[in-house]
Amino acid sequence: MPIKFKETQTVREKASGKKHTQRFFMRSTPIGELVSTYTGRNCQPKLRQKIRNEFVRRKVEIPAIAE
């Protein structure tokens, strides 16, 4: 199973009323969004470790956390 970045959402189009599922996987999340979430104050340790593993997979330097 691929690693999730955040929970899956079901979105309904207002015009047609159709629903489609939007999934958020680590591999498809832009690096900028990963960095901003990783360095944020309210990032939980479990999510921070998932993002750190994704940085290693993509061979990106892990940013320092300012506390």
Side-chain angles (χ1 to χ4, degrees), residues 35-50:
V35 169
S36 65
T37 303
Y38 182 79
T39 57
R41 289 188 67 199
N42 58 350
C43 184
Q44 296 178 346
K46 183 176 182 177
L47 180 59
R48 187 167 280 145
Q49 181 62 43
K50 286 180 178 182

Side-chain angles (χ1 to χ4, degrees), residues 9-27:
Q9 294 178 352
T10 303
V11 181
R12 185 182 64 85
E13 294 179 25
K14 290 186 177 182
S16 63
K18 292 182 180 179
K19 295 180 181 178
H20 68 276
T21 303
Q22 190 174 11
R23 295 174 180 87
F24 301 98
F25 294 115
M26 271 304 172
R27 65 175 183 253

Side-chain angles (χ1 to χ4, degrees), residues 3-6 26 34 38 44-56:
I3 299 170
K4 290 282 193 91
F5 178 61
K6 49 185 172 177
M26 271 304 172
L34 291 175
Y38 182 79
Q44 296 178 346
K46 183 176 182 177
L47 180 59
R48 187 167 280 145
Q49 181 62 43
K50 286 180 178 182
I51 294 172
R52 195 177 303 132
N53 291 341
E54 185 65 18
F55 286 151
V56 169

